[in-house]
Amino acid sequence: MAGPVVAGTATRVVIADDHPVFRRGLKALLDGEDGISVVGDAADGQEAVRVVLDLEPDVVVMDLHMPVLGGVEAAKQIQAALPGVGVLVLTMHEDDELVFAAMKAGARGYLVKTTDDDEIVRAVQAIGAGEAIFSATIAQRMMGYFTAISSSEVVAFPQLTDREREVLKLMASGLDNPSIAHKLHLSGKTVRNRVSAIFTKLQVADRAQAIVRAREAGLGSPA
């Protein structure tokens, strides 16, 4: 089973791309470059899986859009059978959906075909050594995605309107209806209607139960 390349040994590579001219150009770039040895190639995803399982290379450099079997599914099958093989995606496509689909499939690297030759060589070497590597634009996109996830707040009780949630928060802080009306500049009737709607949406019987639910969700605090 393939694993991180031992110092002094060649990084064995399989190239999978449906464009023969690109495959030949990539082989010319990589083969014999700083200890890299291209041991096989494939013109579609299904052939890529077969060649990789047969040769057990250290790295497979693979496009995503290929006939018969796409690169994402091919990567999944390769990783399921030989998890030690490092998958480097080299494609023209860099939209978020494909990037994260490739990552979920087990890809350890993602570069676009406009990447400089030297960077492609370094990426193959890095993945052969067990590292992960992504182009600068892809890395920035990934950081933005995960930053957005970590910074997004989960809204408590999404079934409530913003105003109803505000009323509930004040209830949980110990305010009665007249005090809430005064604070929010609402009529007493409007507040009563809001409170009634809150009871219905939260499926609670009274104010006490609503306050318990609110405090469990982090809204308000005892007065």
Side-chain angles (χ1 to χ4, degrees), residues 131-154:
E131 301 174 20
I133 190 164
F134 299 87
S135 67
T137 56
I138 297 299
Q140 288 173 357
R141 190 165 298 180
M142 290 165 57
M143 288 176 63
Y145 175 82
F146 290 114
T147 298
I149 290 177
S150 63
S151 62
S152 63
E153 295 183 0
V154 177

Side-chain angles (χ1 to χ4, degrees), residues 22-207:
F22 185 80
R23 287 200 310 275
R24 287 195 295 269
L26 191 56
K27 180 176 181 180
L29 170 67
L30 295 175
D31 202 22
E33 178 70 29
D34 292 334
I36 297 173
S37 175
V38 178
V39 296
D41 64 89
D44 61 65
Q46 188 173 77
E47 185 181 11
V49 174
R50 180 183 59 77
V51 171
V52 169
L53 296 189
D54 181 48
L55 298 178
E56 297 192 18
D58 303 298
V59 178
V60 53
V61 181
M62 184 157 53
D63 194 4
L64 290 182
H65 287 288
M66 293 186 290
V68 186
L69 187 69
V72 171
E73 182 58 35
K76 287 180 183 177
Q77 294 187 20
I78 289 169
Q79 289 296 290
L82 294 172
V85 174
V87 176
L88 170 61
V89 171
L90 184 59
T91 184
M92 289 300 297
H93 307 277
E94 54 178 329
D95 57 275
D96 291 352
E97 184 176 349
L98 281 175
V99 171
F100 293 109
M103 290 175 61
K104 289 178 181 177
R108 292 213 299 264
Y110 197 115
L111 301 178
V112 292
K113 288 183 177 179
T114 54
T115 301
D116 292 342
D117 289 353
D118 290 345
E119 291 184 46
I120 295 174
V121 172
R122 285 196 294 271
V124 170
Q125 293 168 332
I127 290 175
E131 301 174 20
I133 190 164
F134 299 87
S135 67
T137 56
I138 297 299
Q140 288 173 357
R141 190 165 298 180
M142 290 165 57
M143 288 176 63
Y145 175 82
F146 290 114
T147 298
I149 290 177
S150 63
S151 62
S152 63
E153 295 183 0
V154 177
V155 176
F157 308 120
Q159 68 270 41
L160 302 182
T161 66
D162 289 343
R163 179 62 88 181
E164 288 166 352
R165 195 175 298 106
E166 193 172 10
V167 169
L168 178 60
K169 182 177 180 180
L170 293 175
M171 286 170 53
S173 297
L175 273 65
D176 58 16
N177 284 4
S179 298
I180 294 173
H182 177 74
K183 189 173 185 66
L184 298 181
H185 305 288
L186 299 173
S187 69
K189 181 179 179 181
T190 298
V191 171
R192 288 194 299 274
N193 290 340
R194 302 284 188 186
V195 171
S196 178
I198 290 168
F199 290 173
T200 300
K201 292 181 179 181
L202 297 189
Q203 298 182 336
V204 296
D206 54 33
R207 195 181 194 89

